[in-house]
Amino acid sequence: MNNAELAIKFSNERYCTKKDVIEAMKTPLIDSIWNSVLEYRSSFSYPLGLKHINNSQYQICLTPTMVERINSIERKLLNIEKTYFKMTGSNEQKLFKINSYLSILSKISQKYNINVDNIVIESIIKGSASALSPDALILNRYLQGLLNIENNALKDINFDTLAKLYGLLMGTDVLPRNYRNNEVDNNLSRVVIGKLYLGIPTNLIENNMEQLFNFISNSSVSMFIKAISSFYFIYYVRPFNEYTEELAILTLKKVLASNDLGEIASLINFESLLEDKEKLESFIVESQKTLDLTYLLDYIISQCENCIDTVNEEILKIQSTVIRSEIHQLEEDNILNSNNAQVNLTNYQTQLQNTVSYSQSIAISNVPTGLNEEEATALENHLMELNPNLSRGQAYFYARHCTLGMNYTISQYKKSLNCAYETARSSMDNLVMLGYYRKECLKNKYIYTPVKKG
């Protein structure tokens, strides 16, 4: 192969480090090859807007292979979210949540060498654990962090968000008012490798964290790149004294949750990344050394692909188990599914008729104006059931912005969903395409007006 072909091979077949290339070529004399690799990658490099403390900018390399891998994993995640959302309130969803948290907390117990069996962990999940040993308390505290993400999926990510998660990990209601004020002990914790940082000086933490929050709110990169970049930055900055790895994982999940994945993000076992901390940190170090987060992204994708596929398999298995159990119960009780369905439908119609007794002034027929949050959530769920082409975020926004005669904007969507402007624009345009809004241009900006629907 010539150098150009090798550059493609070492960037697409696998995103190789310089050391990897030396090993593959069986010689340290690879300067010309490596220069070709860097030249090839430069055509696909994308600046992230995140900076190292030396003011150099981090970047990502979106080669054709990397783009396809990112798209693939995001498609899988969004499909899982749709399947999960359809299970809302069902026995399948309850069992899936228990099993997911069981798997996650098992990884945390392995990290801390906590000797607990699944029965104890399940009692923690169900809130029925009567007493826990001191070393096992972290399992309950970590669960509280996961539940916080699950219950606050769409809230902004800022200092208060991280302080709350850190307080839950510490097991205290007294939240930190500031970031870490102790310098990292380089000799004991090994957080500085050469001139590389995994725990920056305290006087630089606040500015770097504001940089991260701005990136999360405004960057137009895809949700998985944003999540992994945020994971890296928490690891790199080390904003608080303890639980850096856990906080990095929770931040990754929080970013995914606020970018259309919703509560399902808390249930995916990204905690498996902590199984081999040394290897994980080797890719974090490589990314910092080269200012190229593609190395870490490539590693995490390879580690998480099977994890995400396992989630789909678990959902199918649970659905099958619950269906068999329900069929057995129906046979024992001699209850016909059709009768139950008719009773439920009649009850729903009666409830709806009792509720809707005043002026209809929003775009969906038979739904009153002035929806409170509970009613808006019910409408949001109804929209998702009616139209599988709606994303969770689009249904969330429309359910709260559908008054006839009112005009809404892309900026309102962006603020409501805490997403990038491009995501907001494409989401509003999709709602137009699906017939929920009419789009018009008014004084150099687009406005979106709800369309009356039956």
Side-chain angles (χ1 to χ4, degrees), residues 153-157 216-217 226 254-262 380 391-401 410-420 423-424 427-428 431:
L154 297 177
K155 285 192 175 180
D156 291 346
I157 301 174
I216 292 172
S217 295
K226 186 177 289 189
K254 175 62 178 170
V255 172
L256 290 176
S258 63
N259 283 268
D260 273 350
L261 274 200
E380 175 188 339
S391 72
R392 177 73 173 275
Q394 291 161 14
Y396 175 89
F397 181 83
Y398 182 79
R400 293 156 180 82
H401 301 82
I410 294 171
S411 295
Q412 284 178 282
Y413 189 101
K414 179 179 180 295
K415 183 176 180 180
S416 295
L417 277 296
N418 187 29
C419 64
T423 301
S427 295
M428 291 299 286
L431 286 164

Side-chain angles (χ1 to χ4, degrees), residues 360-365 367 398 402-404 436 450-454:
Q360 301 171 2
S361 60
I362 72 169
I364 299 292
S365 294
V367 181
Y398 182 79
C402 56
T403 303
L404 289 173
Y436 291 93
V451 175
K452 180 73 174 180
K453 299 179 74 68

Side-chain angles (χ1 to χ4, degrees), residues 142-173:
Y142 193 81
L143 175 64
Q144 299 312 309
L146 294 170
L147 292 174
N148 179 269
I149 294 172
E150 179 183 333
N151 296 326
N152 300 281
L154 297 177
K155 285 192 175 180
D156 291 346
I157 301 174
N158 50 34
F159 173 81
D160 292 339
T161 308
L162 294 191
K164 178 63 176 178
L165 291 174
Y166 183 65
L168 290 171
L169 291 171
M170 293 293 292
T172 178
D173 293 329

Side-chain angles (χ1 to χ4, degrees), residues 294-305:
T294 318
Y295 293 110
L296 178 61
L297 178 66
D298 181 61
Y299 173 71
I300 290 180
I301 289 177
S302 66
Q303 294 299 110
C304 291
E305 281 174 330

Side-chain angles (χ1 to χ4, degrees), residues 166-227:
Y166 183 65
L168 290 171
L169 291 171
M170 293 293 292
T172 178
D173 293 329
V174 181
L175 302 184
R177 296 183 179 179
N178 301 291
Y179 294 111
R180 166 173 56 89
N181 55 19
N182 297 322
E183 298 295 352
V184 172
D185 187 334
N186 300 334
N187 294 324
L188 296 178
S189 62
R190 294 171 54 236
V191 295
V192 171
I193 304 171
K195 294 182 179 180
L196 302 173
Y197 286 92
L198 294 183
I200 67 175
T202 56
N203 64 315
L204 301 175
I205 293 176
E206 184 171 359
N207 285 341
N208 275 267
M209 291 305 296
E210 287 303 314
Q211 180 188 166
L212 174 61
F213 298 144
N214 181 64
F215 167 78
I216 292 172
S217 295
N218 299 312
S219 175
S220 60
V221 297
S222 70
M223 68 172 177
F224 199 71
I225 295 176
K226 186 177 289 189

Side-chain angles (χ1 to χ4, degrees), residues 15 31 105 108 153 173 230 265-266 287 306 324 335 339 413 442:
Y15 201 78
D31 285 352
L105 295 184
I108 299 298
D173 293 329
S230 301
S266 67
S287 287
N306 289 337
R324 286 198 301 269
I335 300 173
N339 289 345
Y413 189 101
L442 178 65

